[in-house]
Amino acid sequence: MLHKFLASLFPALRGLALWLVAAGIAGVLAGCAGLPPRTPEPPTLSIAASPSTALGRAAASLDTAAHDGLSSIRPLVEASFALDARFELMRRAQASLDVQTYQLGNDKTGRLLLRELRNAARRGVRVRLLLDDFYTTGMDRLLLGLAAEPNAEVRLFNPFVNARDHSATRWLEFFGDFRRLNHRMHNKLFVADGAMAIAGGRNLADEYFLRSEDANFIDFELLMAGPVVPEAARIFDTYWNSEVVYPLQRVASAGASGTPEALKSEFEAATSAVHAPAPAALQGTDVMGDPPLGVQLADIGRMKWMRADAHAAADSPNKALGILASPAESLAARFHEMTATARSDVVVISPYFIPGDEGMARIREGRARGVRISVITNSLADSDEPLVNINYNRYRVDMLKLGVNLYEVSTQQLKRNRQLRSLLKKARGRLHAKLALVDREWVLLGSMNLDPRSARLNTEFGVRVRSFELTQALLYAYQLDDIEGVYRVVLMPDGENVQWIGTGDVDNEVLDSEPDSSLLTRLQLLLFSWFVPTDQL
């Protein structure tokens, strides 16, 4: 995340007059207004699933063996089906919608989702929207337009306070209050009527649903019903009522000018079909053979989801204060504890992967026990966090010497697949899914990357699922037994350097340097990496 700050800081500063920059620096360094004092408020809690709602009845219909403790799950591999599932849940909700995300795009997808939340609020549905505040620059009035609805509330995690509508002044505040603002909420969770939930890696923006013309992400989420949903809802409540979360109106005073009616009017225009066009209607079934959620909900007696033991977990929101009762309570620690039990194989899918010394020790221990370990991550050219990739590169040779199978996702390779080429069009393709498959029995999924930032700085949300059926479905969906769309990374004959071997129909392609990246780019990134500590990545 920090390299994005550095990359975008300089263009933002160039766009301001010199005197404004100087004044901003002076103001921030002199000590701008801090967070407003908190006022004691009674906690707001989730609304439990009920047979009085259509979604509650649908969720209950999935429980064919009452009180067996299992949840019902459906993998959302394809972006279009994942977006459509949200629309269906928002349009069918009758009691509550709880949405938590790291990024809500100020784009056609983000605005369309905001409009659906507004429509639900006007039907009498209680809407709670919890956003991390890093990506909300210039969005205060839009969000206030939603919050102006009687049944809707917007809260911000660890918010910025000063000159919120300008990127440059936000950067200045970030560096002026680095210790606090460097902690972000990376969680992603969507709960409808306390009955169904979506969790995984997708943020709520164009590029996470294959709607960007520049670059799109390959991601994964899980649609859930049953006992795992109230677990997830309780986690949402913990964040919603935490001391690091503030009502939008408390920190967005500069954007609050105007009456609620004026804010609603602006919201109406900003989320109209001109600015928030709907995606094309879905046709047929997804890669798993499942129809859209709306088709299933129209005939709940025939809904067929997987049944599995599933449990939700998350970091404490107090992680943003640098407070954890015990390191063992972190989501990263639980993840490593789970993978340490592997008996035969572990498949890790992570867009950002920096094992560090501790991770390398765990890999050595696993390989010593005969565990087959495979890692799939982004190539340097196709990572939106190239500094992370530079740090990952430092461990490649050692991992390969230990016998780890390494694969790097490449746009060039992805587009050799006809289906992916059609979906990506001219845009780049990047990995964003966060998954681990353990012994083809357990699936670990959620928002957590395998890097120091996720482990130590950001808060994360995850789900642990015990299901051979789900692991087999994911092996099929992502072609993990015969991977395409990637380069296989191997040791050169000298045993000290690496090569990239194409997969699929170009498995004879061999490269001796980073695919699709220039020497100048690699040198620039290496130089940047000297100034950005690994624990910030």
Side-chain angles (χ1 to χ4, degrees), residues 46-71:
S46 300
I47 298 174
S50 167
S52 65
T53 68
L55 293 179
R57 292 190 294 273
S61 75
L62 291 165
D63 193 358
T64 55
H67 309 299
D68 63 357
L70 300 182
S71 294

PDB file of all heavy atoms in Angstrom, residues 46-71:
ATOM      1  N   SER A  46     -26.536  -6.553  15.023  1.00  0.00           N
ATOM      2  CA  SER A  46     -27.106  -7.166  13.825  1.00  0.00           C
ATOM      3  C   SER A  46     -28.517  -7.677  14.096  1.00  0.00           C
ATOM      4  O   SER A  46     -28.876  -8.013  15.234  1.00  0.00           O
ATOM      5  CB  SER A  46     -26.232  -8.330  13.357  1.00  0.00           C
ATOM      6  OG  SER A  46     -24.931  -7.893  13.050  1.00  0.00           O
ATOM      7  N   ILE A  47     -29.300  -7.739  13.039  1.00  0.00           N
ATOM      8  CA  ILE A  47     -30.648  -8.306  13.105  1.00  0.00           C
ATOM      9  C   ILE A  47     -30.557  -9.762  12.662  1.00  0.00           C
ATOM     10  O   ILE A  47     -30.084 -10.067  11.564  1.00  0.00           O
ATOM     11  CB  ILE A  47     -31.621  -7.523  12.202  1.00  0.00           C
ATOM     12  CG1 ILE A  47     -31.717  -6.070  12.699  1.00  0.00           C
ATOM     13  CG2 ILE A  47     -32.992  -8.182  12.182  1.00  0.00           C
ATOM     14  CD1 ILE A  47     -32.548  -5.175  11.798  1.00  0.00           C
ATOM     15  N   ALA A  48     -30.987 -10.656  13.523  1.00  0.00           N
ATOM     16  CA  ALA A  48     -30.845 -12.090  13.242  1.00  0.00           C
ATOM     17  C   ALA A  48     -31.775 -12.526  12.119  1.00  0.00           C
ATOM     18  O   ALA A  48     -32.803 -11.901  11.841  1.00  0.00           O
ATOM     19  CB  ALA A  48     -31.150 -12.886  14.508  1.00  0.00           C
ATOM     20  N   ALA A  49     -31.399 -13.614  11.477  1.00  0.00           N
ATOM     21  CA  ALA A  49     -32.240 -14.191  10.422  1.00  0.00           C
ATOM     22  C   ALA A  49     -33.594 -14.575  10.984  1.00  0.00           C
ATOM     23  O   ALA A  49     -33.719 -15.007  12.141  1.00  0.00           O
ATOM     24  CB  ALA A  49     -31.552 -15.412   9.819  1.00  0.00           C
ATOM     25  N   SER A  50     -34.610 -14.421  10.159  1.00  0.00           N
ATOM     26  CA  SER A  50     -35.980 -14.697  10.603  1.00  0.00           C
ATOM     27  C   SER A  50     -36.787 -15.294   9.462  1.00  0.00           C
ATOM     28  O   SER A  50     -36.620 -14.896   8.298  1.00  0.00           O
ATOM     29  CB  SER A  50     -36.644 -13.398  11.080  1.00  0.00           C
ATOM     30  OG  SER A  50     -38.038 -13.569  11.239  1.00  0.00           O
ATOM     31  N   PRO A  51     -37.668 -16.234   9.772  1.00  0.00           N
ATOM     32  CA  PRO A  51     -38.541 -16.780   8.719  1.00  0.00           C
ATOM     33  C   PRO A  51     -39.550 -15.771   8.202  1.00  0.00           C
ATOM     34  O   PRO A  51     -40.258 -16.055   7.230  1.00  0.00           O
ATOM     35  CB  PRO A  51     -39.239 -17.961   9.418  1.00  0.00           C
ATOM     36  CG  PRO A  51     -39.147 -17.655  10.875  1.00  0.00           C
ATOM     37  CD  PRO A  51     -37.858 -16.917  11.061  1.00  0.00           C
ATOM     38  N   SER A  52     -39.604 -14.597   8.828  1.00  0.00           N
ATOM     39  CA  SER A  52     -40.510 -13.556   8.340  1.00  0.00           C
ATOM     40  C   SER A  52     -39.955 -12.854   7.100  1.00  0.00           C
ATOM     41  O   SER A  52     -40.672 -12.074   6.476  1.00  0.00           O
ATOM     42  CB  SER A  52     -40.782 -12.521   9.440  1.00  0.00           C
ATOM     43  OG  SER A  52     -39.590 -11.825   9.776  1.00  0.00           O
ATOM     44  N   THR A  53     -38.690 -13.101   6.755  1.00  0.00           N
ATOM     45  CA  THR A  53     -38.105 -12.517   5.541  1.00  0.00           C
ATOM     46  C   THR A  53     -37.898 -13.604   4.501  1.00  0.00           C
ATOM     47  O   THR A  53     -37.674 -14.779   4.826  1.00  0.00           O
ATOM     48  CB  THR A  53     -36.759 -11.841   5.829  1.00  0.00           C
ATOM     49  OG1 THR A  53     -35.774 -12.834   6.172  1.00  0.00           O
ATOM     50  CG2 THR A  53     -36.881 -10.827   6.968  1.00  0.00           C
ATOM     51  N   ALA A  54     -37.930 -13.219   3.241  1.00  0.00           N
ATOM     52  CA  ALA A  54     -37.753 -14.188   2.155  1.00  0.00           C
ATOM     53  C   ALA A  54     -36.366 -14.825   2.195  1.00  0.00           C
ATOM     54  O   ALA A  54     -36.223 -16.037   1.964  1.00  0.00           O
ATOM     55  CB  ALA A  54     -37.975 -13.497   0.814  1.00  0.00           C
ATOM     56  N   LEU A  55     -35.340 -14.009   2.504  1.00  0.00           N
ATOM     57  CA  LEU A  55     -33.986 -14.566   2.573  1.00  0.00           C
ATOM     58  C   LEU A  55     -33.843 -15.493   3.767  1.00  0.00           C
ATOM     59  O   LEU A  55     -33.126 -16.497   3.702  1.00  0.00           O
ATOM     60  CB  LEU A  55     -32.953 -13.444   2.632  1.00  0.00           C
ATOM     61  CG  LEU A  55     -32.829 -12.584   1.370  1.00  0.00           C
ATOM     62  CD1 LEU A  55     -31.791 -11.487   1.569  1.00  0.00           C
ATOM     63  CD2 LEU A  55     -32.468 -13.438   0.154  1.00  0.00           C
ATOM     64  N   GLY A  56     -34.512 -15.166   4.867  1.00  0.00           N
ATOM     65  CA  GLY A  56     -34.489 -16.042   6.028  1.00  0.00           C
ATOM     66  C   GLY A  56     -35.102 -17.396   5.718  1.00  0.00           C
ATOM     67  O   GLY A  56     -34.569 -18.446   6.114  1.00  0.00           O
ATOM     68  N   ARG A  57     -36.195 -17.391   4.982  1.00  0.00           N
ATOM     69  CA  ARG A  57     -36.834 -18.656   4.603  1.00  0.00           C
ATOM     70  C   ARG A  57     -35.957 -19.441   3.631  1.00  0.00           C
ATOM     71  O   ARG A  57     -35.850 -20.673   3.715  1.00  0.00           O
ATOM     72  CB  ARG A  57     -38.207 -18.384   3.997  1.00  0.00           C
ATOM     73  CG  ARG A  57     -39.229 -17.845   4.993  1.00  0.00           C
ATOM     74  CD  ARG A  57     -40.625 -17.818   4.412  1.00  0.00           C
ATOM     75  NE  ARG A  57     -40.751 -16.870   3.305  1.00  0.00           N
ATOM     76  CZ  ARG A  57     -41.033 -15.570   3.445  1.00  0.00           C
ATOM     77  NH1 ARG A  57     -41.199 -15.065   4.661  1.00  0.00           N
ATOM     78  NH2 ARG A  57     -41.138 -14.780   2.393  1.00  0.00           N
ATOM     79  N   ALA A  58     -35.328 -18.716   2.696  1.00  0.00           N
ATOM     80  CA  ALA A  58     -34.455 -19.395   1.737  1.00  0.00           C
ATOM     81  C   ALA A  58     -33.269 -20.039   2.444  1.00  0.00           C
ATOM     82  O   ALA A  58     -32.886 -21.170   2.135  1.00  0.00           O
ATOM     83  CB  ALA A  58     -33.972 -18.401   0.686  1.00  0.00           C
ATOM     84  N   ALA A  59     -32.678 -19.324   3.391  1.00  0.00           N
ATOM     85  CA  ALA A  59     -31.539 -19.874   4.132  1.00  0.00           C
ATOM     86  C   ALA A  59     -31.965 -21.101   4.931  1.00  0.00           C
ATOM     87  O   ALA A  59     -31.234 -22.106   4.987  1.00  0.00           O
ATOM     88  CB  ALA A  59     -30.957 -18.809   5.057  1.00  0.00           C
ATOM     89  N   ALA A  60     -33.154 -21.034   5.543  1.00  0.00           N
ATOM     90  CA  ALA A  60     -33.648 -22.167   6.326  1.00  0.00           C
ATOM     91  C   ALA A  60     -33.899 -23.379   5.434  1.00  0.00           C
ATOM     92  O   ALA A  60     -33.693 -24.528   5.854  1.00  0.00           O
ATOM     93  CB  ALA A  60     -34.920 -21.778   7.067  1.00  0.00           C
ATOM     94  N   SER A  61     -34.324 -23.142   4.190  1.00  0.00           N
ATOM     95  CA  SER A  61     -34.619 -24.259   3.285  1.00  0.00           C
ATOM     96  C   SER A  61     -33.365 -25.034   2.910  1.00  0.00           C
ATOM     97  O   SER A  61     -33.438 -26.191   2.508  1.00  0.00           O
ATOM     98  CB  SER A  61     -35.300 -23.741   2.021  1.00  0.00           C
ATOM     99  OG  SER A  61     -34.361 -23.096   1.160  1.00  0.00           O
ATOM    100  N   LEU A  62     -32.206 -24.382   3.028  1.00  0.00           N
ATOM    101  CA  LEU A  62     -30.947 -25.040   2.691  1.00  0.00           C
ATOM    102  C   LEU A  62     -30.496 -26.004   3.771  1.00  0.00           C
ATOM    103  O   LEU A  62     -29.645 -26.865   3.534  1.00  0.00           O
ATOM    104  CB  LEU A  62     -29.853 -23.997   2.450  1.00  0.00           C
ATOM    105  CG  LEU A  62     -30.009 -23.147   1.189  1.00  0.00           C
ATOM    106  CD1 LEU A  62     -29.082 -21.937   1.254  1.00  0.00           C
ATOM    107  CD2 LEU A  62     -29.712 -23.974  -0.052  1.00  0.00           C
ATOM    108  N   ASP A  63     -31.044 -25.838   4.983  1.00  0.00           N
ATOM    109  CA  ASP A  63     -30.642 -26.672   6.114  1.00  0.00           C
ATOM    110  C   ASP A  63     -31.463 -27.959   6.095  1.00  0.00           C
ATOM    111  O   ASP A  63     -32.453 -28.103   6.799  1.00  0.00           O
ATOM    112  CB  ASP A  63     -30.849 -25.912   7.427  1.00  0.00           C
ATOM    113  CG  ASP A  63     -30.171 -26.601   8.596  1.00  0.00           C
ATOM    114  OD1 ASP A  63     -29.576 -27.671   8.389  1.00  0.00           O
ATOM    115  OD2 ASP A  63     -30.237 -26.066   9.714  1.00  0.00           O
ATOM    116  N   THR A  64     -31.047 -28.895   5.254  1.00  0.00           N
ATOM    117  CA  THR A  64     -31.798 -30.135   5.103  1.00  0.00           C
ATOM    118  C   THR A  64     -31.635 -31.072   6.297  1.00  0.00           C
ATOM    119  O   THR A  64     -32.434 -31.978   6.484  1.00  0.00           O
ATOM    120  CB  THR A  64     -31.351 -30.871   3.835  1.00  0.00           C
ATOM    121  OG1 THR A  64     -29.927 -31.062   3.875  1.00  0.00           O
ATOM    122  CG2 THR A  64     -31.702 -30.046   2.594  1.00  0.00           C
ATOM    123  N   ALA A  65     -30.584 -30.872   7.068  1.00  0.00           N
ATOM    124  CA  ALA A  65     -30.373 -31.678   8.277  1.00  0.00           C
ATOM    125  C   ALA A  65     -30.269 -30.717   9.447  1.00  0.00           C
ATOM    126  O   ALA A  65     -29.186 -30.286   9.820  1.00  0.00           O
ATOM    127  CB  ALA A  65     -29.125 -32.535   8.151  1.00  0.00           C
ATOM    128  N   ALA A  66     -31.415 -30.357   9.987  1.00  0.00           N
ATOM    129  CA  ALA A  66     -31.476 -29.307  11.004  1.00  0.00           C
ATOM    130  C   ALA A  66     -30.556 -29.620  12.180  1.00  0.00           C
ATOM    131  O   ALA A  66     -30.427 -30.765  12.617  1.00  0.00           O
ATOM    132  CB  ALA A  66     -32.906 -29.137  11.481  1.00  0.00           C
ATOM    133  N   HIS A  67     -29.893 -28.565  12.633  1.00  0.00           N
ATOM    134  CA  HIS A  67     -29.052 -28.622  13.841  1.00  0.00           C
ATOM    135  C   HIS A  67     -27.842 -29.549  13.692  1.00  0.00           C
ATOM    136  O   HIS A  67     -27.355 -30.095  14.675  1.00  0.00           O
ATOM    137  CB  HIS A  67     -29.890 -29.051  15.052  1.00  0.00           C
ATOM    138  CG  HIS A  67     -31.145 -28.266  15.245  1.00  0.00           C
ATOM    139  ND1 HIS A  67     -31.142 -26.906  15.462  1.00  0.00           N
ATOM    140  CD2 HIS A  67     -32.450 -28.654  15.222  1.00  0.00           C
ATOM    141  CE1 HIS A  67     -32.400 -26.485  15.580  1.00  0.00           C
ATOM    142  NE2 HIS A  67     -33.209 -27.508  15.423  1.00  0.00           N
ATOM    143  N   ASP A  68     -27.356 -29.722  12.456  1.00  0.00           N
ATOM    144  CA  ASP A  68     -26.134 -30.516  12.298  1.00  0.00           C
ATOM    145  C   ASP A  68     -24.883 -29.651  12.416  1.00  0.00           C
ATOM    146  O   ASP A  68     -23.767 -30.156  12.336  1.00  0.00           O
ATOM    147  CB  ASP A  68     -26.131 -31.267  10.960  1.00  0.00           C
ATOM    148  CG  ASP A  68     -26.126 -30.336   9.748  1.00  0.00           C
ATOM    149  OD1 ASP A  68     -26.181 -29.107   9.942  1.00  0.00           O
ATOM    150  OD2 ASP A  68     -26.076 -30.843   8.610  1.00  0.00           O
ATOM    151  N   GLY A  69     -25.078 -28.326  12.579  1.00  0.00           N
ATOM    152  CA  GLY A  69     -23.953 -27.418  12.761  1.00  0.00           C
ATOM    153  C   GLY A  69     -23.246 -27.025  11.490  1.00  0.00           C
ATOM    154  O   GLY A  69     -22.294 -26.243  11.531  1.00  0.00           O
ATOM    155  N   LEU A  70     -23.686 -27.553  10.363  1.00  0.00           N
ATOM    156  CA  LEU A  70     -23.046 -27.230   9.087  1.00  0.00           C
ATOM    157  C   LEU A  70     -23.689 -25.997   8.464  1.00  0.00           C
ATOM    158  O   LEU A  70     -24.846 -25.667   8.728  1.00  0.00           O
ATOM    159  CB  LEU A  70     -23.133 -28.403   8.124  1.00  0.00           C
ATOM    160  CG  LEU A  70     -22.483 -29.712   8.567  1.00  0.00           C
ATOM    161  CD1 LEU A  70     -22.610 -30.762   7.480  1.00  0.00           C
ATOM    162  CD2 LEU A  70     -21.023 -29.500   8.952  1.00  0.00           C
ATOM    163  N   SER A  71     -22.926 -25.318   7.608  1.00  0.00           N
ATOM    164  CA  SER A  71     -23.416 -24.165   6.862  1.00  0.00           C
ATOM    165  C   SER A  71     -23.593 -24.553   5.401  1.00  0.00           C
ATOM    166  O   SER A  71     -23.052 -25.564   4.938  1.00  0.00           O
ATOM    167  CB  SER A  71     -22.435 -22.994   6.976  1.00  0.00           C
ATOM    168  OG  SER A  71     -22.360 -22.523   8.306  1.00  0.00           O
TER     169      SER A  71
END
